Amino acid sequence: MKELTDRALDKVRRLGASYGDIRIVRRTNESLSTKNGKVEALESSTDEGFGIRVVADGAWGFASSLEITPEEIDRAAELAVRIAKASASIEHEPVKLAPAEPADGRFEWEIKKDPFEIPIEEKISLLLDADNIIRQTPEIKVSEASMQFWRTEQIFASTEGSYIEQVKTESGAGIEATAVSEGEVQKRSYPASFGGDFATAGYEFVEAWDLVGNAERVAKEAAQLLTAPQCPSDTRALILEGSMLALQVHESCGHPIELDRVFGTEASYAGTSFLTPEKLGNFKYGSDIVNIVADATIPGGLGSFFYDDEGVPAQCVDIIDEGVFVGYLTSRETAEKLGQRSSGAMRADGWNRIPLIRMTNINLMPGDWTLGEMIEDTKRGLYAGTVVSWSIDDMRLNFQFATEFAYDIEDGSLGKLFKNATYTGITYEFWGNCDAIAGEDEWHLWGIPNCGKGQPGQAAHVGHGVAPARFQNVRIGVVESQEESEE
């Protein structure tokens, strides 16, 4: 492959590019799912190709192909430079890149059990066993179980001298139980909703969640929700379970710190950000106990890697320090505008997409409480968890989330189970009211494989390390209009 990458880089130089890089990517995917005792889907695919990105006359150009041949390398290199020069004919601010040291080497995350070597029959059997247990609860009308695996092999080379090979294997699984009765539908998921939990790991990660051992509990919890009362509507303390808090971090902390959103260069899919540059270093984002980092180096994280898609090394970057906003996720181009070096956050969803600024592992650092201590310390509150839905405005300020379950907290004890729980807030007020975070023993790095951004749309694999946390004065439940309250 080195001959092909050298060929591409020589070609773009000769055509007048001031910078060029090439990524050759091979991705293998396997997806399995069962539903109501039958195999719902079994998919296996391999995707391979290359993308060439250049700067010519101060503008970007990009071209790609699925044919990895010398002829296609030449064609794509010429096309990328032509696109860049055509783009440069439109008035624009010339592209400037923050410096990055050239890198060379091969890097691969270690796994214990290769998921692609585990027999299909063994995986299906595990899913069907869990599926069967879920359906033993009479109220369950839909039982689902799934697994997904990815292996990405990537070569990155640039005109600045980098040649980096990386291999990453990712695994994940989950189960869902849907209970139905007299027009009421309720669902419980494990270990998280929307397919479960995911990590940079092998099949051992799937086995560790013990889907079969948790299937009966999940089914009974879904059935219990059918007769549970509606979540009340008032203001009280809210304690969030881990997977729910992970999405809270994702939407209200992870997306606002993407510097391309801040500059408005990537806004179409999910909006921009209220975190404008004058806030850097002085904006009070949360309470003093809120510390958030973007850590692409942590083993097992779905947002972990060795080098990003600009050849910048993975880093652990402070984002919120004792409640103060101190850092962005950046690319070489956006970092240069702030007079900084890139934080190494550029990644592309495959060989035929340009890299964008994406979350790595955006982690809320652990505190010194336990979940039990938080509940015992709460006079009146709600303990809620597992994502049902989310909504947040295009500046990442006003949000509303719905959870699968919620328990009343009265005088330090868990009480009745509520259904259809929701909560709302404003990002910096919500995090400013965070007064307790559980410690390392309850901290878990959750994986989200479907973070959407860009046009054409790209799905990024990201992570969020969190432990349960408490927030004071949170509006919960559905707020009734005056007309509704008078009825």
Side-chain angles (χ1 to χ4, degrees), residues 34 36 127-145 174-179 188 190 211-212 214-220 222:
T34 64
N36 290 344
L127 294 178
L128 287 175
D129 285 348
D131 188 296
N132 180 55
I133 293 172
I134 290 172
R135 284 181 290 112
Q136 302 310 305
T137 299
E139 294 88 346
I140 300 301
K141 304 306 179 187
V142 181
S143 59
E144 297 172 272
I175 56 175
E176 292 184 355
T178 302
R188 284 291 287 123
Y190 174 83
L211 301 184
V212 174
N214 284 277
E216 181 179 3
R217 174 185 61 79
V218 170
K220 291 188 179 304

PDB file of all heavy atoms in Angstrom, residues 34 36 127-145 174-179 188 190 211-212 214-220 222:
ATOM      1  N   THR A  34     -32.547 -10.892  16.730  1.00  0.00           N
ATOM      2  CA  THR A  34     -33.679 -11.809  16.836  1.00  0.00           C
ATOM      3  C   THR A  34     -34.899 -11.033  17.309  1.00  0.00           C
ATOM      4  O   THR A  34     -34.773 -10.001  17.974  1.00  0.00           O
ATOM      5  CB  THR A  34     -33.389 -12.951  17.820  1.00  0.00           C
ATOM      6  OG1 THR A  34     -33.209 -12.403  19.138  1.00  0.00           O
ATOM      7  CG2 THR A  34     -32.159 -13.727  17.414  1.00  0.00           C
ATOM      8  N   ASN A  36     -38.971 -12.024  18.741  1.00  0.00           N
ATOM      9  CA  ASN A  36     -40.040 -12.979  19.052  1.00  0.00           C
ATOM     10  C   ASN A  36     -39.677 -14.413  18.680  1.00  0.00           C
ATOM     11  O   ASN A  36     -40.458 -15.131  18.048  1.00  0.00           O
ATOM     12  CB  ASN A  36     -41.335 -12.561  18.360  1.00  0.00           C
ATOM     13  CG  ASN A  36     -41.922 -11.309  18.980  1.00  0.00           C
ATOM     14  OD1 ASN A  36     -41.542 -10.921  20.095  1.00  0.00           O
ATOM     15  ND2 ASN A  36     -42.834 -10.662  18.278  1.00  0.00           N
ATOM     16  N   LEU A 127     -28.561 -15.062  21.647  1.00  0.00           N
ATOM     17  CA  LEU A 127     -29.651 -14.092  21.464  1.00  0.00           C
ATOM     18  C   LEU A 127     -31.013 -14.759  21.629  1.00  0.00           C
ATOM     19  O   LEU A 127     -31.923 -14.206  22.261  1.00  0.00           O
ATOM     20  CB  LEU A 127     -29.543 -13.445  20.079  1.00  0.00           C
ATOM     21  CG  LEU A 127     -28.314 -12.563  19.836  1.00  0.00           C
ATOM     22  CD1 LEU A 127     -28.320 -12.042  18.401  1.00  0.00           C
ATOM     23  CD2 LEU A 127     -28.256 -11.407  20.819  1.00  0.00           C
ATOM     24  N   LEU A 128     -31.170 -15.959  21.062  1.00  0.00           N
ATOM     25  CA  LEU A 128     -32.457 -16.655  21.163  1.00  0.00           C
ATOM     26  C   LEU A 128     -32.749 -17.086  22.597  1.00  0.00           C
ATOM     27  O   LEU A 128     -33.917 -17.088  23.027  1.00  0.00           O
ATOM     28  CB  LEU A 128     -32.476 -17.860  20.227  1.00  0.00           C
ATOM     29  CG  LEU A 128     -32.598 -17.528  18.731  1.00  0.00           C
ATOM     30  CD1 LEU A 128     -32.479 -18.795  17.891  1.00  0.00           C
ATOM     31  CD2 LEU A 128     -33.937 -16.834  18.430  1.00  0.00           C
ATOM     32  N   ASP A 129     -31.711 -17.460  23.346  1.00  0.00           N
ATOM     33  CA  ASP A 129     -31.919 -17.832  24.757  1.00  0.00           C
ATOM     34  C   ASP A 129     -32.479 -16.644  25.539  1.00  0.00           C
ATOM     35  O   ASP A 129     -33.424 -16.781  26.326  1.00  0.00           O
ATOM     36  CB  ASP A 129     -30.596 -18.289  25.379  1.00  0.00           C
ATOM     37  CG  ASP A 129     -30.197 -19.679  24.908  1.00  0.00           C
ATOM     38  OD1 ASP A 129     -31.041 -20.362  24.293  1.00  0.00           O
ATOM     39  OD2 ASP A 129     -29.035 -20.070  25.146  1.00  0.00           O
ATOM     40  N   ALA A 130     -31.879 -15.461  25.346  1.00  0.00           N
ATOM     41  CA  ALA A 130     -32.372 -14.263  26.037  1.00  0.00           C
ATOM     42  C   ALA A 130     -33.777 -13.915  25.555  1.00  0.00           C
ATOM     43  O   ALA A 130     -34.670 -13.589  26.365  1.00  0.00           O
ATOM     44  CB  ALA A 130     -31.419 -13.094  25.779  1.00  0.00           C
ATOM     45  N   ASP A 131     -33.963 -13.984  24.240  1.00  0.00           N
ATOM     46  CA  ASP A 131     -35.267 -13.691  23.629  1.00  0.00           C
ATOM     47  C   ASP A 131     -36.359 -14.594  24.215  1.00  0.00           C
ATOM     48  O   ASP A 131     -37.462 -14.145  24.551  1.00  0.00           O
ATOM     49  CB  ASP A 131     -35.125 -13.902  22.117  1.00  0.00           C
ATOM     50  CG  ASP A 131     -36.340 -13.463  21.333  1.00  0.00           C
ATOM     51  OD1 ASP A 131     -37.414 -14.056  21.526  1.00  0.00           O
ATOM     52  OD2 ASP A 131     -36.208 -12.547  20.522  1.00  0.00           O
ATOM     53  N   ASN A 132     -36.051 -15.867  24.369  1.00  0.00           N
ATOM     54  CA  ASN A 132     -37.023 -16.838  24.886  1.00  0.00           C
ATOM     55  C   ASN A 132     -37.401 -16.539  26.337  1.00  0.00           C
ATOM     56  O   ASN A 132     -38.574 -16.606  26.715  1.00  0.00           O
ATOM     57  CB  ASN A 132     -36.436 -18.247  24.777  1.00  0.00           C
ATOM     58  CG  ASN A 132     -37.385 -19.307  25.289  1.00  0.00           C
ATOM     59  OD1 ASN A 132     -38.520 -19.399  24.847  1.00  0.00           O
ATOM     60  ND2 ASN A 132     -36.921 -20.089  26.257  1.00  0.00           N
ATOM     61  N   ILE A 133     -36.421 -16.188  27.147  1.00  0.00           N
ATOM     62  CA  ILE A 133     -36.698 -15.875  28.561  1.00  0.00           C
ATOM     63  C   ILE A 133     -37.587 -14.644  28.661  1.00  0.00           C
ATOM     64  O   ILE A 133     -38.509 -14.584  29.481  1.00  0.00           O
ATOM     65  CB  ILE A 133     -35.377 -15.683  29.328  1.00  0.00           C
ATOM     66  CG1 ILE A 133     -34.624 -17.015  29.396  1.00  0.00           C
ATOM     67  CG2 ILE A 133     -35.644 -15.140  30.731  1.00  0.00           C
ATOM     68  CD1 ILE A 133     -33.228 -16.900  29.962  1.00  0.00           C
ATOM     69  N   ILE A 134     -37.329 -13.638  27.843  1.00  0.00           N
ATOM     70  CA  ILE A 134     -38.139 -12.414  27.870  1.00  0.00           C
ATOM     71  C   ILE A 134     -39.606 -12.745  27.603  1.00  0.00           C
ATOM     72  O   ILE A 134     -40.513 -12.231  28.265  1.00  0.00           O
ATOM     73  CB  ILE A 134     -37.616 -11.410  26.817  1.00  0.00           C
ATOM     74  CG1 ILE A 134     -36.260 -10.848  27.251  1.00  0.00           C
ATOM     75  CG2 ILE A 134     -38.610 -10.259  26.612  1.00  0.00           C
ATOM     76  CD1 ILE A 134     -35.583 -10.001  26.190  1.00  0.00           C
ATOM     77  N   ARG A 135     -39.877 -13.665  26.672  1.00  0.00           N
ATOM     78  CA  ARG A 135     -41.261 -13.963  26.281  1.00  0.00           C
ATOM     79  C   ARG A 135     -41.994 -14.836  27.291  1.00  0.00           C
ATOM     80  O   ARG A 135     -43.180 -15.114  27.123  1.00  0.00           O
ATOM     81  CB  ARG A 135     -41.264 -14.618  24.892  1.00  0.00           C
ATOM     82  CG  ARG A 135     -41.019 -13.616  23.771  1.00  0.00           C
ATOM     83  CD  ARG A 135     -41.035 -14.265  22.394  1.00  0.00           C
ATOM     84  NE  ARG A 135     -39.872 -15.109  22.176  1.00  0.00           N
ATOM     85  CZ  ARG A 135     -39.913 -16.434  22.062  1.00  0.00           C
ATOM     86  NH1 ARG A 135     -41.076 -17.057  22.133  1.00  0.00           N
ATOM     87  NH2 ARG A 135     -38.806 -17.136  21.868  1.00  0.00           N
ATOM     88  N   GLN A 136     -41.305 -15.276  28.361  1.00  0.00           N
ATOM     89  CA  GLN A 136     -41.990 -16.050  29.405  1.00  0.00           C
ATOM     90  C   GLN A 136     -42.881 -15.164  30.263  1.00  0.00           C
ATOM     91  O   GLN A 136     -43.774 -15.654  30.961  1.00  0.00           O
ATOM     92  CB  GLN A 136     -40.958 -16.757  30.299  1.00  0.00           C
ATOM     93  CG  GLN A 136     -40.019 -17.702  29.556  1.00  0.00           C
ATOM     94  CD  GLN A 136     -40.755 -18.686  28.654  1.00  0.00           C
ATOM     95  OE1 GLN A 136     -41.639 -19.407  29.117  1.00  0.00           O
ATOM     96  NE2 GLN A 136     -40.397 -18.694  27.364  1.00  0.00           N
ATOM     97  N   THR A 137     -42.668 -13.872  30.242  1.00  0.00           N
ATOM     98  CA  THR A 137     -43.532 -12.926  30.969  1.00  0.00           C
ATOM     99  C   THR A 137     -44.752 -12.636  30.106  1.00  0.00           C
ATOM    100  O   THR A 137     -44.607 -12.126  28.984  1.00  0.00           O
ATOM    101  CB  THR A 137     -42.753 -11.629  31.278  1.00  0.00           C
ATOM    102  OG1 THR A 137     -41.629 -11.958  32.104  1.00  0.00           O
ATOM    103  CG2 THR A 137     -43.632 -10.618  31.999  1.00  0.00           C
ATOM    104  N   PRO A 138     -45.971 -12.960  30.588  1.00  0.00           N
ATOM    105  CA  PRO A 138     -47.159 -12.900  29.720  1.00  0.00           C
ATOM    106  C   PRO A 138     -47.409 -11.538  29.077  1.00  0.00           C
ATOM    107  O   PRO A 138     -47.893 -11.471  27.952  1.00  0.00           O
ATOM    108  CB  PRO A 138     -48.304 -13.269  30.690  1.00  0.00           C
ATOM    109  CG  PRO A 138     -47.646 -14.066  31.762  1.00  0.00           C
ATOM    110  CD  PRO A 138     -46.286 -13.488  31.928  1.00  0.00           C
ATOM    111  N   GLU A 139     -47.091 -10.453  29.765  1.00  0.00           N
ATOM    112  CA  GLU A 139     -47.393  -9.124  29.218  1.00  0.00           C
ATOM    113  C   GLU A 139     -46.474  -8.741  28.068  1.00  0.00           C
ATOM    114  O   GLU A 139     -46.738  -7.772  27.344  1.00  0.00           O
ATOM    115  CB  GLU A 139     -47.269  -8.063  30.324  1.00  0.00           C
ATOM    116  CG  GLU A 139     -48.287  -8.187  31.444  1.00  0.00           C
ATOM    117  CD  GLU A 139     -47.805  -9.116  32.556  1.00  0.00           C
ATOM    118  OE1 GLU A 139     -46.812  -9.848  32.326  1.00  0.00           O
ATOM    119  OE2 GLU A 139     -48.409  -9.115  33.634  1.00  0.00           O
ATOM    120  N   ILE A 140     -45.380  -9.456  27.869  1.00  0.00           N
ATOM    121  CA  ILE A 140     -44.433  -9.106  26.810  1.00  0.00           C
ATOM    122  C   ILE A 140     -44.968  -9.568  25.453  1.00  0.00           C
ATOM    123  O   ILE A 140     -45.224 -10.747  25.243  1.00  0.00           O
ATOM    124  CB  ILE A 140     -43.048  -9.738  27.069  1.00  0.00           C
ATOM    125  CG1 ILE A 140     -42.485  -9.243  28.403  1.00  0.00           C
ATOM    126  CG2 ILE A 140     -42.097  -9.402  25.919  1.00  0.00           C
ATOM    127  CD1 ILE A 140     -42.314  -7.753  28.521  1.00  0.00           C
ATOM    128  N   LYS A 141     -45.120  -8.615  24.539  1.00  0.00           N
ATOM    129  CA  LYS A 141     -45.608  -8.938  23.196  1.00  0.00           C
ATOM    130  C   LYS A 141     -44.492  -8.880  22.148  1.00  0.00           C
ATOM    131  O   LYS A 141     -44.644  -9.439  21.062  1.00  0.00           O
ATOM    132  CB  LYS A 141     -46.725  -7.958  22.802  1.00  0.00           C
ATOM    133  CG  LYS A 141     -47.882  -7.941  23.800  1.00  0.00           C
ATOM    134  CD  LYS A 141     -48.446  -9.337  24.048  1.00  0.00           C
ATOM    135  CE  LYS A 141     -49.581  -9.310  25.070  1.00  0.00           C
ATOM    136  NZ  LYS A 141     -50.038 -10.666  25.463  1.00  0.00           N
ATOM    137  N   VAL A 142     -43.415  -8.181  22.463  1.00  0.00           N
ATOM    138  CA  VAL A 142     -42.282  -8.112  21.533  1.00  0.00           C
ATOM    139  C   VAL A 142     -40.986  -8.286  22.324  1.00  0.00           C
ATOM    140  O   VAL A 142     -40.735  -7.536  23.277  1.00  0.00           O
ATOM    141  CB  VAL A 142     -42.234  -6.768  20.773  1.00  0.00           C
ATOM    142  CG1 VAL A 142     -41.052  -6.752  19.801  1.00  0.00           C
ATOM    143  CG2 VAL A 142     -43.536  -6.524  20.024  1.00  0.00           C
ATOM    144  N   SER A 143     -40.202  -9.281  21.930  1.00  0.00           N
ATOM    145  CA  SER A 143     -38.875  -9.472  22.544  1.00  0.00           C
ATOM    146  C   SER A 143     -37.822  -9.339  21.452  1.00  0.00           C
ATOM    147  O   SER A 143     -37.986  -9.873  20.357  1.00  0.00           O
ATOM    148  CB  SER A 143     -38.786 -10.852  23.199  1.00  0.00           C
ATOM    149  OG  SER A 143     -39.001 -11.873  22.234  1.00  0.00           O
ATOM    150  N   GLU A 144     -36.762  -8.607  21.756  1.00  0.00           N
ATOM    151  CA  GLU A 144     -35.726  -8.369  20.757  1.00  0.00           C
ATOM    152  C   GLU A 144     -34.338  -8.492  21.395  1.00  0.00           C
ATOM    153  O   GLU A 144     -34.156  -8.134  22.570  1.00  0.00           O
ATOM    154  CB  GLU A 144     -35.883  -6.974  20.147  1.00  0.00           C
ATOM    155  CG  GLU A 144     -37.187  -6.784  19.396  1.00  0.00           C
ATOM    156  CD  GLU A 144     -37.406  -5.349  18.961  1.00  0.00           C
ATOM    157  OE1 GLU A 144     -37.972  -4.581  19.760  1.00  0.00           O
ATOM    158  OE2 GLU A 144     -37.026  -5.016  17.842  1.00  0.00           O
ATOM    159  N   ALA A 145     -33.388  -8.969  20.607  1.00  0.00           N
ATOM    160  CA  ALA A 145     -31.991  -9.067  21.051  1.00  0.00           C
ATOM    161  C   ALA A 145     -31.087  -8.860  19.841  1.00  0.00           C
ATOM    162  O   ALA A 145     -31.447  -9.239  18.724  1.00  0.00           O
ATOM    163  CB  ALA A 145     -31.733 -10.429  21.684  1.00  0.00           C
ATOM    164  N   GLY A 174     -27.384  -5.962  23.047  1.00  0.00           N
ATOM    165  CA  GLY A 174     -28.429  -5.515  23.966  1.00  0.00           C
ATOM    166  C   GLY A 174     -29.713  -6.291  23.758  1.00  0.00           C
ATOM    167  O   GLY A 174     -29.865  -7.028  22.776  1.00  0.00           O
ATOM    168  N   ILE A 175     -30.642  -6.164  24.713  1.00  0.00           N
ATOM    169  CA  ILE A 175     -31.960  -6.798  24.627  1.00  0.00           C
ATOM    170  C   ILE A 175     -33.035  -5.769  24.953  1.00  0.00           C
ATOM    171  O   ILE A 175     -32.771  -4.772  25.641  1.00  0.00           O
ATOM    172  CB  ILE A 175     -32.088  -7.999  25.590  1.00  0.00           C
ATOM    173  CG1 ILE A 175     -31.787  -7.574  27.045  1.00  0.00           C
ATOM    174  CG2 ILE A 175     -31.187  -9.136  25.158  1.00  0.00           C
ATOM    175  CD1 ILE A 175     -32.000  -8.677  28.063  1.00  0.00           C
ATOM    176  N   GLU A 176     -34.252  -6.031  24.440  1.00  0.00           N
ATOM    177  CA  GLU A 176     -35.382  -5.145  24.707  1.00  0.00           C
ATOM    178  C   GLU A 176     -36.635  -5.972  24.920  1.00  0.00           C
ATOM    179  O   GLU A 176     -36.858  -6.974  24.220  1.00  0.00           O
ATOM    180  CB  GLU A 176     -35.620  -4.184  23.544  1.00  0.00           C
ATOM    181  CG  GLU A 176     -34.528  -3.149  23.348  1.00  0.00           C
ATOM    182  CD  GLU A 176     -34.846  -2.164  22.240  1.00  0.00           C
ATOM    183  OE1 GLU A 176     -35.878  -2.354  21.562  1.00  0.00           O
ATOM    184  OE2 GLU A 176     -34.071  -1.224  22.050  1.00  0.00           O
ATOM    185  N   ALA A 177     -37.468  -5.553  25.876  1.00  0.00           N
ATOM    186  CA  ALA A 177     -38.747  -6.199  26.150  1.00  0.00           C
ATOM    187  C   ALA A 177     -39.846  -5.154  26.054  1.00  0.00           C
ATOM    188  O   ALA A 177     -39.777  -4.117  26.729  1.00  0.00           O
ATOM    189  CB  ALA A 177     -38.738  -6.820  27.549  1.00  0.00           C
ATOM    190  N   THR A 178     -40.836  -5.407  25.215  1.00  0.00           N
ATOM    191  CA  THR A 178     -41.949  -4.474  25.043  1.00  0.00           C
ATOM    192  C   THR A 178     -43.233  -5.117  25.568  1.00  0.00           C
ATOM    193  O   THR A 178     -43.658  -6.173  25.074  1.00  0.00           O
ATOM    194  CB  THR A 178     -42.131  -4.101  23.565  1.00  0.00           C
ATOM    195  OG1 THR A 178     -40.917  -3.523  23.088  1.00  0.00           O
ATOM    196  CG2 THR A 178     -43.255  -3.090  23.398  1.00  0.00           C
ATOM    197  N   ALA A 179     -43.816  -4.484  26.575  1.00  0.00           N
ATOM    198  CA  ALA A 179     -45.045  -4.983  27.188  1.00  0.00           C
ATOM    199  C   ALA A 179     -46.231  -4.181  26.656  1.00  0.00           C
ATOM    200  O   ALA A 179     -46.133  -2.961  26.471  1.00  0.00           O
ATOM    201  CB  ALA A 179     -44.958  -4.868  28.708  1.00  0.00           C
ATOM    202  N   ARG A 188     -38.549  -1.886  28.287  1.00  0.00           N
ATOM    203  CA  ARG A 188     -37.322  -1.834  29.080  1.00  0.00           C
ATOM    204  C   ARG A 188     -36.187  -2.441  28.260  1.00  0.00           C
ATOM    205  O   ARG A 188     -36.387  -3.398  27.491  1.00  0.00           O
ATOM    206  CB  ARG A 188     -37.466  -2.595  30.393  1.00  0.00           C
ATOM    207  CG  ARG A 188     -38.287  -1.844  31.424  1.00  0.00           C
ATOM    208  CD  ARG A 188     -37.578  -0.577  31.958  1.00  0.00           C
ATOM    209  NE  ARG A 188     -36.473  -0.896  32.860  1.00  0.00           N
ATOM    210  CZ  ARG A 188     -35.212  -0.495  32.679  1.00  0.00           C
ATOM    211  NH1 ARG A 188     -34.868   0.188  31.594  1.00  0.00           N
ATOM    212  NH2 ARG A 188     -34.283  -0.799  33.558  1.00  0.00           N
ATOM    213  N   TYR A 190     -31.752  -3.391  28.052  1.00  0.00           N
ATOM    214  CA  TYR A 190     -30.554  -3.728  28.834  1.00  0.00           C
ATOM    215  C   TYR A 190     -29.405  -4.030  27.870  1.00  0.00           C
ATOM    216  O   TYR A 190     -29.653  -4.700  26.871  1.00  0.00           O
ATOM    217  CB  TYR A 190     -30.812  -4.938  29.725  1.00  0.00           C
ATOM    218  CG  TYR A 190     -29.580  -5.418  30.447  1.00  0.00           C
ATOM    219  CD1 TYR A 190     -29.162  -4.817  31.640  1.00  0.00           C
ATOM    220  CD2 TYR A 190     -28.807  -6.464  29.923  1.00  0.00           C
ATOM    221  CE1 TYR A 190     -28.023  -5.257  32.283  1.00  0.00           C
ATOM    222  CE2 TYR A 190     -27.667  -6.897  30.575  1.00  0.00           C
ATOM    223  CZ  TYR A 190     -27.283  -6.295  31.748  1.00  0.00           C
ATOM    224  OH  TYR A 190     -26.136  -6.721  32.389  1.00  0.00           O
ATOM    225  N   LEU A 211     -26.553 -11.144  28.956  1.00  0.00           N
ATOM    226  CA  LEU A 211     -27.897 -10.833  28.449  1.00  0.00           C
ATOM    227  C   LEU A 211     -28.923 -11.855  28.930  1.00  0.00           C
ATOM    228  O   LEU A 211     -30.042 -11.499  29.300  1.00  0.00           O
ATOM    229  CB  LEU A 211     -27.884 -10.796  26.917  1.00  0.00           C
ATOM    230  CG  LEU A 211     -26.937  -9.787  26.249  1.00  0.00           C
ATOM    231  CD1 LEU A 211     -27.124  -9.819  24.736  1.00  0.00           C
ATOM    232  CD2 LEU A 211     -27.154  -8.375  26.778  1.00  0.00           C
ATOM    233  N   VAL A 212     -28.539 -13.139  28.930  1.00  0.00           N
ATOM    234  CA  VAL A 212     -29.475 -14.191  29.341  1.00  0.00           C
ATOM    235  C   VAL A 212     -29.834 -14.046  30.818  1.00  0.00           C
ATOM    236  O   VAL A 212     -31.001 -14.160  31.201  1.00  0.00           O
ATOM    237  CB  VAL A 212     -28.863 -15.575  29.057  1.00  0.00           C
ATOM    238  CG1 VAL A 212     -29.751 -16.679  29.608  1.00  0.00           C
ATOM    239  CG2 VAL A 212     -28.659 -15.765  27.552  1.00  0.00           C
ATOM    240  N   ASN A 214     -30.016 -11.473  32.618  1.00  0.00           N
ATOM    241  CA  ASN A 214     -30.791 -10.267  32.924  1.00  0.00           C
ATOM    242  C   ASN A 214     -32.131 -10.215  32.185  1.00  0.00           C
ATOM    243  O   ASN A 214     -32.904  -9.282  32.387  1.00  0.00           O
ATOM    244  CB  ASN A 214     -29.981  -9.020  32.573  1.00  0.00           C
ATOM    245  CG  ASN A 214     -28.899  -8.731  33.603  1.00  0.00           C
ATOM    246  OD1 ASN A 214     -29.156  -8.118  34.636  1.00  0.00           O
ATOM    247  ND2 ASN A 214     -27.691  -9.208  33.335  1.00  0.00           N
ATOM    248  N   ALA A 215     -32.394 -11.202  31.331  1.00  0.00           N
ATOM    249  CA  ALA A 215     -33.588 -11.156  30.483  1.00  0.00           C
ATOM    250  C   ALA A 215     -34.885 -11.170  31.300  1.00  0.00           C
ATOM    251  O   ALA A 215     -35.821 -10.407  31.024  1.00  0.00           O
ATOM    252  CB  ALA A 215     -33.563 -12.314  29.498  1.00  0.00           C
ATOM    253  N   GLU A 216     -34.994 -12.032  32.296  1.00  0.00           N
ATOM    254  CA  GLU A 216     -36.228 -12.130  33.086  1.00  0.00           C
ATOM    255  C   GLU A 216     -36.504 -10.818  33.833  1.00  0.00           C
ATOM    256  O   GLU A 216     -37.633 -10.327  33.848  1.00  0.00           O
ATOM    257  CB  GLU A 216     -36.123 -13.284  34.079  1.00  0.00           C
ATOM    258  CG  GLU A 216     -37.396 -13.460  34.912  1.00  0.00           C
ATOM    259  CD  GLU A 216     -37.291 -14.620  35.884  1.00  0.00           C
ATOM    260  OE1 GLU A 216     -36.211 -15.242  35.955  1.00  0.00           O
ATOM    261  OE2 GLU A 216     -38.286 -14.902  36.577  1.00  0.00           O
ATOM    262  N   ARG A 217     -35.469 -10.245  34.442  1.00  0.00           N
ATOM    263  CA  ARG A 217     -35.645  -8.976  35.175  1.00  0.00           C
ATOM    264  C   ARG A 217     -36.129  -7.871  34.238  1.00  0.00           C
ATOM    265  O   ARG A 217     -37.063  -7.115  34.571  1.00  0.00           O
ATOM    266  CB  ARG A 217     -34.319  -8.550  35.817  1.00  0.00           C
ATOM    267  CG  ARG A 217     -34.367  -7.177  36.480  1.00  0.00           C
ATOM    268  CD  ARG A 217     -33.006  -6.750  36.991  1.00  0.00           C
ATOM    269  NE  ARG A 217     -31.999  -6.633  35.953  1.00  0.00           N
ATOM    270  CZ  ARG A 217     -31.899  -5.589  35.122  1.00  0.00           C
ATOM    271  NH1 ARG A 217     -32.782  -4.573  35.216  1.00  0.00           N
ATOM    272  NH2 ARG A 217     -30.951  -5.534  34.205  1.00  0.00           N
ATOM    273  N   VAL A 218     -35.522  -7.768  33.076  1.00  0.00           N
ATOM    274  CA  VAL A 218     -35.899  -6.720  32.120  1.00  0.00           C
ATOM    275  C   VAL A 218     -37.359  -6.887  31.695  1.00  0.00           C
ATOM    276  O   VAL A 218     -38.117  -5.916  31.612  1.00  0.00           O
ATOM    277  CB  VAL A 218     -34.961  -6.762  30.894  1.00  0.00           C
ATOM    278  CG1 VAL A 218     -35.473  -5.857  29.782  1.00  0.00           C
ATOM    279  CG2 VAL A 218     -33.550  -6.353  31.303  1.00  0.00           C
ATOM    280  N   ALA A 219     -37.780  -8.132  31.448  1.00  0.00           N
ATOM    281  CA  ALA A 219     -39.168  -8.386  31.032  1.00  0.00           C
ATOM    282  C   ALA A 219     -40.147  -8.001  32.139  1.00  0.00           C
ATOM    283  O   ALA A 219     -41.179  -7.366  31.881  1.00  0.00           O
ATOM    284  CB  ALA A 219     -39.331  -9.851  30.671  1.00  0.00           C
ATOM    285  N   LYS A 220     -39.852  -8.360  33.361  1.00  0.00           N
ATOM    286  CA  LYS A 220     -40.759  -8.047  34.473  1.00  0.00           C
ATOM    287  C   LYS A 220     -40.823  -6.539  34.727  1.00  0.00           C
ATOM    288  O   LYS A 220     -41.882  -5.996  35.086  1.00  0.00           O
ATOM    289  CB  LYS A 220     -40.311  -8.803  35.737  1.00  0.00           C
ATOM    290  CG  LYS A 220     -40.516 -10.315  35.624  1.00  0.00           C
ATOM    291  CD  LYS A 220     -40.256 -11.015  36.923  1.00  0.00           C
ATOM    292  CE  LYS A 220     -40.504 -12.524  36.782  1.00  0.00           C
ATOM    293  NZ  LYS A 220     -41.867 -12.843  36.287  1.00  0.00           N
ATOM    294  N   ALA A 222     -40.569  -4.232  32.443  1.00  0.00           N
ATOM    295  CA  ALA A 222     -41.437  -3.676  31.394  1.00  0.00           C
ATOM    296  C   ALA A 222     -42.898  -3.901  31.755  1.00  0.00           C
ATOM    297  O   ALA A 222     -43.743  -3.007  31.587  1.00  0.00           O
ATOM    298  CB  ALA A 222     -41.114  -4.322  30.051  1.00  0.00           C
TER     299      ALA A 222
END
